[in-house]
Amino acid sequence: QVQLVESGGGLVQAGGSLRLSCAASGIIFSINSMGWYRQAPGKQRELVAVITSGGSTNYLDSVKGRFTISRDNAKNTVYVQMSSLKPEDTAVYYCNMVIRGPLGVFGHWGQGTQVTVSS
């Protein structure tokens, strides 16, 4: 059973920074893409940033230049460094990993971590 555990959320003032982490555990052969999504109240979940196994990255337009996604393959961990935070970044942030295990390739989600940016 694969588990993703997130950490690093919290309350921060506008203009501040936070770093989220998400670590995967269990029987893992390899991890393809790793990504961060967010969901604000009353809104659909949206992709914030993704990083492939080769290190290519892609970002939501509204976070480009402010967020940086990275991964540590040895630790099965993905990070997102969030800077110049805005109140509109307030949401529950979820990590997602596409993981190859003994039964095949599946997507897995973290439990979510709240990020609140005050104005």
Side-chain angles (χ1 to χ4, degrees), residues 11 24 26 30 37 41 44 57 60 71 81 84-85 88 95 98 103 107 116-117:
L11 173 64
S30 63
Y37 291 72
Q44 289 188 332
T57 59
L60 181 69
R71 61 191 285 169
Q81 177 68 47
S84 301
L85 283 161
E88 50 263 44
C95 65
V98 178
L103 299 180
T116 302
V117 184

Side-chain angles (χ1 to χ4, degrees), residues 1-110:
Q1 183 78 6
V2 172
Q3 285 191 321
L4 272 58
V5 178
E6 303 173 15
S7 61
L11 173 64
V12 64
Q13 288 188 333
S17 299
L18 281 176
R19 187 193 194 210
L20 305 183
S21 302
C22 175
S25 62
I27 302 175
I28 297 170
F29 292 172
S30 63
I31 302 178
N32 299 339
S33 63
M34 298 179 173
W36 288 94
Y37 291 72
R38 68 186 182 188
Q39 187 166 20
K43 295 187 177 181
Q44 289 188 332
R45 189 173 298 191
E46 62 181 358
L47 176 64
V48 175
V50 63
I51 183 167
T52 67
S53 57
S56 297
T57 59
N58 199 16
Y59 296 92
L60 181 69
D61 283 347
S62 63
V63 308
K64 285 180 180 177
R66 300 188 298 120
F67 289 14
T68 302
I69 189 170
S70 60
R71 61 191 285 169
D72 184 334
N73 293 324
K75 295 181 179 180
N76 292 333
T77 299
V78 62
Y79 308 94
V80 62
Q81 177 68 47
M82 306 185 294
S83 303
S84 301
L85 283 161
K86 304 175 181 180
E88 50 263 44
D89 294 317
T90 295
V92 178
Y93 283 71
Y94 299 89
C95 65
N96 175 274
M97 296 188 189
V98 178
I99 295 175
R100 179 179 297 278
L103 299 180
V105 179
F106 297 94
H108 298 269
W109 290 93

